[in-house]
Amino acid sequence: VLELVFSYLELRELRSCALVCKLWHHVLHGDENSEVWRSLAARCLAEEALRTDILCNVPTYKGKVSPARPRAAVTPPAA
């Protein structure tokens, strides 16, 4: 039932849901090819985009819809 409800949510909402409890976190992060991630990919990405070489090499639907997170710049200590 949770997967059905989650399949209607956007990425930002799913991230918030994953913080609610361990069960919800496990449902969202346990299977990165679940219906939740397939549904989100279908809504967010054009069919042509899913077939591009770049996205074809991404093994999971979650990986296809999750934006790359920029790494924090390391600031050297002040002298």
Side-chain angles (χ1 to χ4, degrees):
V1 175
L2 282 175
E3 280 195 13
L4 177 64
V5 173
F6 290 157
S7 69
Y8 290 97
L9 302 179
E10 298 300 324
L11 183 59
R12 183 175 183 183
E13 296 162 330
L14 291 172
R15 287 182 177 153
S16 294
C17 287
L19 300 174
V20 171
C21 68
K22 289 180 182 182
L23 173 65
W24 287 21
H25 183 272
H26 178 72
V27 169
L28 289 170
H29 295 291
D31 179 8
E32 295 185 351
N33 280 317
S34 69
E35 186 58 36
V36 174
W37 299 109
R38 280 184 216 157
S39 175
L40 185 60
R43 287 195 320 268
C44 295
L45 303 170
E47 188 67 31
E48 298 81 27
L50 287 171
R51 293 185 184 141
T52 62
D53 288 342
I54 294 171
L55 287 181
C56 281
N57 291 327
V58 177
T60 66
Y61 283 104
K62 181 181 176 186
K64 293 175 196 235
V65 297
S66 298
R69 295 184 187 130
R71 299 188 186 261
V74 176
T75 307

